[in-house]
């Protein structure tokens, strides 16, 4: 079956089952195009929380579906491929974080949404790249802050917020594929283009960019900015989203290599099967969910 026929079948089945399909900006173009809503982690969490559908099909990675399950415990959240994880989220564990907390008693733990539900449960506030700066600013001055797991986002957001944070040494392997050689080559190839990068990129890449934005911030920036051409430093799926949302503008990836293999595990066929089977359902043990809920709710309420 071609993409268009499969998309028609998915939409039919979603209507029949009363399902909402959410897709992250890094999903395959054909998966983005079949979704009810395409967005970043913050936007998708808010949509999941507000949705009244019988089922939520989450086209993203595991921690995203878990976050939706924390917010919406009474309706099934389905991840079309359970193997779609996030290596960055796997870089922080409860035991290690508890040890760091013991070394810094009284520190406020700000965890990026790219963490397991168990890590969220031992964190004080969650954030996404869209509201990390506001979340860090919201911590009372004088309190120590531990930021997990992304060292790049943590350092960038702390600098923007004018605060100092203890950063966990995690990173995104996909954004780690973007380096300063790519920036120099792209500037030479497209001298009139502005460079917009995600804060998960390494600090030397961030330092050379014209703008540093979350994926939702990139869309806003490119819509409002008066340039006609942009070089984008984030996962490749974002180019499709920008081309749709910013007609008349041209987008080039900083590198064709920035492809997240986990995001790309979700295919139209798997979305169709997930709807048919109403699974795999992602669940969070109730005691963990209750402990994580406060941190996630604060994330959903703040900013951007
Ligand atoms: S792009 Fe990076 S942070 Fe996002 S899911 Fe993939 S590995 Fe995780």
């Amino acid at each position: 079956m071609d993409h268009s026929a499969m998309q028609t079948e998915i939409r039919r089945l979603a209507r029949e089952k009363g399902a909402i399909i959410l897709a992250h900006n890094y999903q395959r173009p054909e998966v983005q195009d079949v979704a009810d809503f395409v967005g970043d982690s913050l936007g998708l969490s808010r949509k999941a929380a507000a949705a009244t559908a019988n089922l939520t099909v989450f086209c993203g990675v595991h921690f995203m579906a878990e976050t939706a399950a924390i917010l919406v415990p009474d309706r099934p959240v389905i991840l079309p491929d359970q193997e779609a994880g996030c290596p960055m989220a796997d870089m922080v564990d409860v035991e290690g974080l508890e040890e760091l907390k013991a070394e810094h008693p009284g520190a406020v733990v700000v965890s990026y949404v790219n963490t397991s539900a168990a890590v969220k449960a031992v964190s004080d506030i969650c954030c996404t790249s869209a509201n990390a700066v506001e979340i860090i600013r919201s911590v009372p001055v004088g309190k120590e802050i531990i930021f997990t797991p992304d060292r790049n986002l943590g350092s960038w957001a702390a600098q923007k917020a004018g605060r100092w944070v203890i950063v966990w040494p995690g990173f995104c392997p996909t954004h780690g594929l973007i380096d300063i050689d790519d920036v120099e080559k792209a500037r030479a190839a497209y001298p009139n283009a502005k460079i917009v990068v995600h804060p998960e990129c390494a600090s030397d890449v961030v330092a050379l960019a014209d703008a540093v934005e979350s994926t939702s911030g990139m869309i806003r920036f490119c819509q409002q900015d008066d340039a006609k051409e942009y070089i984008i430093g984030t996962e490749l799926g974002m180019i499709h989203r920008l081309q749709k949302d910013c007609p008349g503008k041209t987008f080039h990836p900083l590198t064709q290599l920035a492809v997240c293999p986990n995001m790309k595990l979700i295919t139209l066929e798997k979305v169709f099967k997930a709807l048919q089977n109403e699974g795999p359902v992602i669940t969070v043990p109730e005691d963990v969910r209750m402990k994580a809920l406060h941190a996630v709710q604060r994330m959903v309420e703040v900013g951007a």
Side-chain angles (χ1 to χ4, degrees):
M1 212 186 284
D2 67 15
H3 283 167
S4 160
M6 183 59 91
Q7 284 164 336
T8 304
E9 280 305 293
I10 289 171
R11 291 309 325 163
R12 181 191 58 73
L13 205 49
R15 260 194 317 276
E16 193 179 299
K17 304 247 179 181
I20 185 171
I21 302 175
L22 305 179
H24 190 268
N25 291 322
Y26 297 162
Q27 288 290 293
R28 294 167 184 269
E30 65 273 17
V31 173
Q32 294 189 29
D33 291 345
V34 84
D36 293 289
F37 180 78
V38 183
D40 62 1
S41 301
L42 185 60
L44 295 175
S45 299
R46 286 176 175 157
K47 279 282 170 198
T52 52
N54 298 333
L55 299 172
T56 302
V57 178
F58 213 116
C59 303
V61 293
H62 194 270
F63 74 80
M64 296 178 178
E66 260 193 350
T67 306
I70 289 167
L71 288 162
V72 190
D74 52 340
R75 277 164 285 135
V77 177
I78 295 166
L79 181 64
D81 187 329
Q82 288 198 88
E83 298 301 312
C86 168
M88 181 206 282
D90 294 340
M91 290 177 192
V92 56
D93 63 334
V94 172
E95 209 176 54
L97 180 53
E98 291 288 22
E99 276 170 26
L100 187 62
K101 283 170 70 171
E103 288 167 23
H104 299 274
V108 173
V109 179
V110 178
S111 282
Y112 194 17
V113 68
N114 299 39
T115 43
S116 66
V119 167
K120 289 181 175 77
V122 294
S123 302
D124 297 297
I125 325 176
C126 292
C127 70
T128 71
S129 51
N131 66 4
V133 177
E134 287 106 312
I135 295 277
I136 288 177
R137 272 197 196 121
S138 76
V139 176
V141 174
K143 283 265 182 197
E144 270 196 307
I145 302 170
I146 294 172
F147 189 98
T148 81
D150 185 8
R151 63 183 179 208
N152 293 328
L153 175 66
S155 306
W156 173 81
Q159 196 186 9
K160 293 274 288 181
R163 300 290 294 271
W164 183 81
V165 301
I166 300 153
V167 282
W168 192 269
F171 63 94
C172 165
T174 298
H175 285 85
L177 295 170
I178 301 170
D179 63 29
I180 50 171
D181 281 355
D182 298 317
V183 178
E184 279 154 16
K185 280 185 200 146
R187 279 239 191 259
Y190 310 108
N192 298 322
K194 283 190 181 164
I195 298 187
V196 186
V197 306
H198 194 276
E200 284 177 24
C201 290
S203 57
D204 53 357
V205 171
V206 163
L208 294 176
D210 295 303
V212 183
E213 298 283 352
S214 67
T215 55
S216 55
M218 283 181 183
I219 297 167
R220 246 191 332 269
F221 177 85
C222 295
Q223 282 173 334
Q224 292 167 4
D225 186 67
D226 52 13
K228 291 271 173 273
E229 197 176 8
Y230 299 88
I231 299 159
I232 301 298
T234 192
E235 209 277 345
L236 220 53
M238 193 61 204
I239 300 289
H240 179 69
R241 181 72 207 277
L242 286 163
Q243 279 166 341
K244 278 182 90 168
D245 284 22
C246 308
K249 299 202 172 192
T250 305
F251 298 94
H252 312 281
L254 251 179
T255 168
Q256 295 282 350
L257 296 178
V259 176
C260 175
N262 289 282
M263 286 283 180
K264 270 37 183 188
L265 282 176
I266 310 295
T267 60
L268 284 179
E269 289 72 18
K270 288 178 189 172
V271 176
F272 181 72
K273 275 202 187 113
L275 273 165
Q276 258 186 337
N277 300 336
E278 299 186 18
V281 174
I282 300 302
T283 55
V284 177
E286 188 56 15
D287 57 330
V288 176
R289 190 188 79 79
M290 285 309 292
K291 284 187 200 148
L293 183 60
H294 178 66
V296 172
Q297 266 171 341
R298 285 194 66 188
M299 172 188 89
V300 172
E301 284 160 12
V302 172

